[in-house]
Amino acid sequence: MLVRLRKVTGDPLLVRSGIRMVLTERAVAMREPLQEILAQVARIEVGTNFAPDLSDKEFRIACADCIPTLLLPQIIARLTSAGRRIRAKLRLIDPAFDVARALEEGELDLVINNSPNPREDLRIGRLYTDEVVCMMRSGHPLAGESRLSLARYLNMQHLAPQPSSLREMGPVDGELAKVGYRRVISATVPEFNLAPYVLLSTDLVFTTGRVFAEHYAKLLPVTIVPAPREFPPMRFYQLWHERNHASDSNRWLRQQVSDAVRELVVDPAHGDRGMLTPAVAAEA
């Protein structure tokens, strides 16, 4: 494809600079009109009745690594079982990745997150809420508490995940900042799922959603204690750009994510009551 574009434009478009490939001046000038063309193509797709069993589409999703462990396998299973040629490409949100720009430029189809302040120019679909709890090793001095008070919570040493954004606080520290408090973060981990294992040999406390905590409480000697009442439930949602709002394929993708959440809310293996609290179905 690059060879064909070079023949059409009479420009190399990509040239080597040390160990990297960089855009030529002509290629940079082409970016904006190409984005407009892609947006028009997305609009043409509207009403084409997306057929997953016939599609070879690759769905690109970015998500926070605090998403419940059971949810992502459900989403992947739904997508890949709907069509043999459908591909699911998931990546974690990290500080170096601008998800809003990626949605705007078509590098991503969807974002699943719980950041307290999603960009207002993006579409949002609420998925579920989850109670905030504290995880600690089973032998922790406070493991027998029925609930932590805010004063006791602030006096503890905390384990936290690496921030997914350099521009804003996460849900836990953001809520504390609203009332003028800061916790003592003694250690951070680069991956959310490492946190329960760090707890086993320390007196650190990890603040997270109940679904994540209950999953690891079945596997490891960790205890769950409800967080201070000052913490509201964590709210999880999916985000997408206006350019994909009316797209049949993107609409289908959003529905698969919503249905995966419902399967965990009403899970036959757990009776009528599942593990998540569903949000009111809404898209903005």
Side-chain angles (χ1 to χ4, degrees), residues 4-187:
R4 291 173 60 187
L5 286 172
R6 283 170 169 168
K7 288 181 178 179
V8 170
T9 61
D11 188 274
L13 300 178
L14 277 172
V15 296
R16 187 170 298 280
S17 176
I19 62 172
R20 298 187 308 122
M21 298 294 288
V22 297
L23 295 174
T24 65
E25 185 176 336
R26 176 72 180 278
V28 172
M30 291 170 58
R31 290 181 67 175
E32 185 173 344
L34 282 175
Q35 288 173 8
E36 295 176 2
I37 292 170
L38 289 172
Q40 292 174 6
V41 171
R43 286 194 291 270
I44 292 172
E45 183 193 1
V46 176
T48 56
N49 298 320
F50 176 71
D53 56 326
L54 301 176
S55 175
D56 62 354
K57 187 171 180 61
E58 177 181 82
F59 289 105
R60 295 155 298 180
I61 304 171
C63 58
D65 64 353
C66 61
I67 299 299
T69 308
L70 297 177
L71 180 56
L72 295 183
Q74 289 275 70
I75 294 172
I76 292 174
R78 294 189 67 89
L79 297 183
T80 56
S81 63
R84 291 181 58 85
R85 294 188 296 162
I86 284 181
R87 303 177 307 284
K89 186 175 182 179
L90 277 70
R91 65 157 295 162
L92 293 179
I93 298 171
D94 60 68
F97 186 54
D98 187 342
V99 294
R101 180 201 57 78
L103 286 170
E104 183 178 348
E105 297 185 2
E107 295 177 20
L108 284 178
D109 298 299
L110 199 66
V111 170
I112 304 173
N113 202 357
N114 70 333
S115 173
N117 300 303
R119 262 181 46 171
E120 295 182 356
D121 59 329
L122 296 175
R123 293 273 185 168
I124 185 170
R126 297 171 182 84
L127 290 174
Y128 63 92
T129 61
D130 197 5
E131 179 190 1
V132 179
V133 299
C134 295
M135 292 177 66
M136 60 192 75
R137 65 181 178 87
S138 295
H140 193 283
L142 298 178
E145 295 288 311
S146 58
R147 180 183 293 275
L148 294 175
S149 67
L150 181 59
R152 180 162 283 179
Y153 178 87
L154 294 173
N155 195 44
M156 303 171 84
Q157 290 180 289
H158 294 268
L159 175 67
Q162 182 178 344
S164 60
S165 172
L166 298 176
R167 295 185 297 274
E168 61 180 31
M169 295 180 176
V172 174
D173 294 296
E175 289 298 329
L176 288 174
K178 289 179 182 178
V179 290
Y181 292 109
R182 290 182 62 184
R183 57 180 175 161
V184 178
I185 298 177
S186 299

